[in-house]
Amino acid sequence: DVKVTQSSRYLVKRTGEKVFLECVQDMDHENMFWYRQDPGLGLRLIYFSYDVKMKEKGDIPEGYSVSREKKERFSLILESASTNQTSMYLCASSPHGPSSYEQYFGPGTRLTVT
Amino acid sequence: KQEVTQIPAALSVPEGENLVLNCSFTDSAIYNLQWFRQDPGKGLTSLLLIQSSQREQTSGRLNASLDKSSGRSTLYIAASQPGDSATYLCAVNLSNYQLIWGAGTKLIIKP
């Protein structure tokens, strides 16, 4: 079974702190994704990566950065956390190949910024 | 711009009923469509993936259909159970990288 793990299930941080969210997948997938999920808005793509050290902006990259130094690990960084970044963050991975491949999701990290 | 809509936003039905969840999208140029389930406070579990060339997919009590020309997909759940209570999300795949998501239907099955 594909396994995508995220470093924390719940996280509480203060405004202005630097926050790291870690995601690890064990299926040698090339693609990895970071989404945020807010009530009524559905999932929105923040960043994705299609290979080590490669990244592309999604729909809402402002206030975030990412790092992919190893194939299995994709990190989301909030340089200076703000209250409007309080949300559920979901990581996903998928293999390269035809666009038919599906994305596999981690359990999510619920981040609260106070 | 592709938009995905799920109606209703919430649904409550008695146990044992058959039910249909709806998903509509504005642009028929999709690669595939996925249905996901999300339990409260948890991540997403993929239920069914329908390729753009397919009309339906089945898994156990679940059946998903796709009509690209009309921009619609349905998720049919037979003989619903309390354990089916969750939020159901649909997403259309525009490319290898990009999924466009509906906001979900929150389903409650009453014992």
Side-chain angles (χ1 to χ4, degrees):
Chain A
D1 279 352
V2 175
K3 185 170 278 187
V4 180
T5 58
Q6 294 182 230
S7 52
S8 304
R9 291 298 308 278
Y10 301 94
L11 208 53
V12 180
K13 295 292 182 179
R14 294 192 181 275
T15 301
E17 280 193 76
K18 190 169 186 175
V19 181
F20 293 86
L21 303 182
E22 303 284 340
C23 176
V24 177
Q25 51 94 4
D26 66 357
M27 285 302 292
D28 202 36
H29 285 170
E30 288 83 3
N31 302 330
M32 295 189 75
F33 308 82
W34 274 107
Y35 295 91
R36 64 177 282 177
Q37 184 180 27
D38 300 289
L41 294 178
L43 274 75
R44 293 178 290 168
L45 182 64
I46 305 171
Y47 267 98
F48 66 93
S49 168
Y50 51 91
D51 205 346
V52 175
K53 296 190 185 296
M54 306 302 290
K55 60 186 179 183
E56 292 286 341
K57 293 180 180 179
D59 298 322
I60 51 165
E62 297 79 16
Y64 304 93
S65 62
V66 290
S67 172
R68 186 136 181 236
E69 297 297 318
K70 293 185 178 182
K71 191 175 186 179
E72 67 270 17
R73 187 180 298 268
F74 192 35
S75 301
L76 180 69
I77 303 156
L78 288 65
E79 296 289 343
S80 177
S82 63
T83 55
N84 63 13
Q85 293 178 309
T86 291
S87 186
M88 169 72 99
Y89 289 88
L90 293 163
C91 175
S93 72
S94 72
H96 266 327
S99 297
S100 58
Y101 286 126
E102 58 190 284
Q103 295 184 13
Y104 298 87
F105 282 80
T109 295
R110 186 165 294 281
L111 173 67
T112 302
V113 183
T114 61
Chain B
K1 182 182 176 184
Q2 179 73 270
E3 293 183 0
V4 179
T5 304
Q6 291 187 248
I7 294 173
L11 182 63
S12 179
V13 300
E15 180 178 4
E17 282 200 7
N18 303 324
L19 58 98
V20 174
L21 307 181
N22 297 294
C23 174
S24 61
F25 47 96
T26 54
D27 187 343
S28 62
I30 66 171
Y31 283 98
N32 58 53
L33 183 145
Q34 276 186 265
W35 281 93
F36 293 85
R37 169 186 172 136
Q38 185 174 31
D39 293 286
K42 299 198 176 172
L44 280 69
T45 301
S46 180
L47 297 173
L48 290 164
L49 182 150
I50 312 177
Q51 305 292 355
S52 61
S53 59
Q54 296 176 322
R55 298 284 291 184
E56 64 180 315
Q57 282 285 340
T58 298
S59 176
R61 294 182 295 108
L62 305 180
N63 176 277
S65 68
L66 175 63
D67 184 343
K68 273 183 55 178
S69 61
S70 65
R72 292 182 184 176
S73 176
T74 62
L75 179 67
Y76 174 83
I77 302 176
S80 59
Q81 303 170 357
D84 295 330
S85 297
T87 295
Y88 291 80
L89 297 155
C90 74
V92 297
N93 189 342
L94 303 184
S95 71
N96 201 25
Y97 303 134
Q98 191 169 14
L99 291 176
I100 307 297
W101 296 81
T105 294
K106 183 175 182 179
L107 176 64
I108 297 173
I109 307 297
K110 297 174 289 186

